[in-house]
Amino acid sequence: VRDSGLNFNPRIEEGGGGVVVVPIPKVSMETRKALAKQLGKAAEASRQRVRRIRRAAHDVCKKGQAGKLEGISKDDAFRRGKEIDAVTEEIVALLNQKVEEKQNSVMAV
């Protein structure tokens, strides 16, 4: 808990039978900005994961379009590629919306 970077300083309460007390400091504007920045970095990492998944799915679709996969027509592979793009855009838009809401929530006093 101490090494989390959130300025927590746990201590064991005297005479309390080993109870650990973690006083939570008031959140300063600097801490809020740092949390918002961390949130942005985590969101970008998530966007990159979504793009990697999209790229892998597109690779499979390209194989299907080239006729290298049995049981999948070129038209089906093309349609699936379009569906993958649509779902990816939807997921990224939802992620951006949630990140913006959370950043506004963190920055609110």
Side-chain angles (χ1 to χ4, degrees):
V1 174
R2 184 173 289 145
D3 297 332
S4 68
L6 297 174
N7 297 328
F8 292 146
N9 194 15
R11 58 184 167 80
I12 298 176
E13 194 172 76
E14 293 179 18
V19 175
V20 177
V21 177
V22 182
I24 300 175
K26 292 194 182 250
V27 182
S28 67
M29 188 54 85
E30 290 176 7
T31 306
R32 292 174 195 265
K33 286 180 182 178
L35 283 172
K37 188 175 180 180
Q38 266 185 328
L39 183 62
K41 287 180 181 180
E44 183 56 34
S46 297
R47 284 186 210 100
Q48 288 175 355
R49 275 185 253 139
V50 168
R51 287 191 291 261
R52 277 196 302 270
I53 292 167
R54 176 188 166 273
R55 195 172 304 122
H58 265 285
D59 289 344
V60 172
C61 287
K62 285 181 182 179
K63 285 181 184 178
Q65 287 175 352
K68 295 181 181 179
L69 294 176
E70 293 182 24
I72 298 176
S73 71
K74 293 179 182 181
D75 292 337
D76 284 342
F78 184 77
R79 269 189 244 114
R80 297 299 175 239
K82 292 284 186 182
E83 288 177 15
I84 291 167
D85 285 340
V87 169
T88 301
E89 289 174 12
E90 181 182 329
I91 294 299
V92 170
L94 181 64
L95 177 66
N96 290 338
Q97 175 190 352
K98 294 297 181 184
V99 167
E100 186 176 332
E101 288 174 8
K102 195 62 177 175
Q103 283 179 333
N104 290 338
S105 168
V106 167
M107 294 304 288
V109 176

